[in-house]
Amino acid sequence: PAPTPAAAPVVDVFSAPPEPVAPAPEPEPALAPPPQPADPFAASGLLGDVSDQPLADLTTADSKFEYGGQKMAPLAVSTAEFGGKWGSCPATTPLSAVTTKAATLAQFMDLCDRAGAHKVEAIAATNEGICAGMMGGSVVILIHGKVTPQGGGAGSRVDVTIKSTDATVGGVLAMYMQNMMR
């Protein structure tokens, strides 16, 4: 014969509720960690006399283009001389940018001047300008730019052709001018 299973305990759901359980004691508040200095390096004295100040503006008053330790010097030539040298410069580097820093022909010519080039001629009728520079007494740099206003305060599109007797110098000057127009 199989054993008789034990009877399940009877739960009286209609009688008085069970005794309330005491609430758990509230945990003691954790101690706040000690305040940390904003800059642990400064607090430990590792920075010496360096202060937490923003860097000064890195632009300089002298923004002449420099390559290989030499700055571009103005090459004072006439428009006819510029044209004569144009064909003898084998390296051509184009540059095109939309900018508000050279939104007018006058601003483009001033930008070339700040880079160290001589303002040869500004042709208002076509919004074109030509400038010339020299590096190291032998590298000729010729700059032709056309400024096309975009309207609506969007600045102008500036299309530049740099001709040079040194391809590397022309390419680096193009990057330099593009940064000046940002």
Side-chain angles (χ1 to χ4, degrees), residues 105 121-130:
L105 178 57
E121 184 179 13
I123 309 156
T126 58
N127 238 15
E128 294 176 79
I130 54 175

Side-chain angles (χ1 to χ4, degrees), residues 47-119:
L47 297 177
D49 63 347
V50 175
S51 63
D52 188 17
Q53 300 295 323
L55 291 175
D57 187 9
L58 297 177
T59 59
T60 61
D62 182 12
S63 61
K64 290 193 181 350
F65 171 66
E66 185 175 333
Y67 180 76
Q70 297 188 13
K71 292 187 178 192
M72 180 163 56
L75 178 60
V77 294
S78 67
T79 302
E81 291 170 316
F82 180 97
K85 291 182 181 297
W86 188 262
S88 65
C89 289
T92 302
T93 306
L95 161 65
S96 186
V98 175
T99 180
T100 56
K101 294 192 176 174
T104 66
L105 178 57
Q107 288 175 331
F108 170 73
M109 298 297 283
D110 288 342
L111 183 135
C112 291
D113 180 62
R114 285 194 315 275
H118 168 69
K119 298 179 193 179

Side-chain angles (χ1 to χ4, degrees), residues 1-5:
T4 309

Side-chain angles (χ1 to χ4, degrees), residues 145-172:
K146 179 164 180 62
V147 179
T148 307
Q150 297 295 292
S156 291
R157 177 185 171 101
V158 181
D159 295 302
V160 180
T161 302
I162 299 171
K163 297 275 282 182
S164 177
T165 54
D166 183 307
T168 303
V169 169
V172 175

